Amino acid sequence: MAGDGSDTGDDRDHLDDRVGLGLALLERLEHESLPLPDVVDRIETVTTDPAVTRTILDEAELRGIIDREDGIVRPKSRQYVRFGQDVVTKEGEFTCRRCGSSLSTGHFIDLEAGELGPFGSSCIRKVTGRE
């Protein structure tokens, strides 16, 4: 696992997976602009590692996915998460990736970089910008 002192390709792949998911999520933000803390809240569904969060934000800016200025993030894409197509629900025993609540129905966002979730019904709306 990253941060355990080992230096294997698997650790790098895990980092790349988190960065890829974070970038894919930022490409789907459904706002004209968001305060940086709100964007970080969404990224924390992918990782709580501050270094990886910074990497995601820096890479998103370099790739033209977002603009950042004075604590405000402006997404450049208009590709939003579509609930009927991009959000999948699954029955089972889950823990919400955002708030930690126990769930019997998990909502997952199907992104090009992979699946992100599970989320509860209110957290999926928050993560996708519907609330």
Side-chain angles (χ1 to χ4, degrees):
M1 226 206 217
D4 65 1
S6 64
D7 187 19
T8 67
D10 290 344
D11 290 344
R12 185 72 194 154
D13 290 345
H14 182 63
L15 172 67
D16 290 345
D17 290 348
R18 291 182 293 169
V19 172
L21 272 174
L23 293 172
L25 184 60
L26 292 181
E27 285 178 323
R28 300 296 192 97
L29 288 178
E30 196 166 322
H31 298 278
E32 284 285 319
S33 64
L34 280 170
L36 183 59
D38 289 356
V39 174
V40 170
D41 179 63
R42 285 160 175 82
I43 293 171
E44 285 178 343
T45 64
V46 175
T47 182
T48 57
D49 182 331
V52 178
T53 298
R54 277 191 300 279
T55 299
I56 291 168
L57 287 167
D58 292 346
E59 191 65 26
E61 193 168 26
L62 281 172
R63 293 185 185 192
I65 295 170
I66 62 169
D67 282 326
R68 284 191 290 179
E69 188 176 340
D70 299 327
I72 301 296
V73 174
R74 289 180 178 79
K76 292 179 150 186
S77 171
R78 295 294 173 238
Q79 302 174 35
Y80 305 127
V81 171
R82 295 164 295 200
F83 271 78
Q85 187 172 346
D86 300 323
V87 175
V88 180
T89 57
K90 298 177 186 178
E91 300 300 318
E93 292 184 25
F94 303 106
T95 301
C96 179
R97 190 161 182 141
R98 183 171 177 274
C99 74
S101 294
S102 294
L103 308 169
S104 58
T105 302
H107 298 11
F108 297 81
I109 305 171
D110 186 18
L111 300 167
E112 282 185 32
E115 191 174 76
L116 183 59
F119 301 104
S121 58
S122 60
C123 284
I124 190 72
R125 288 192 301 277
K126 179 72 172 174
V127 170
T128 59
R130 303 288 166 88
E131 192 170 278

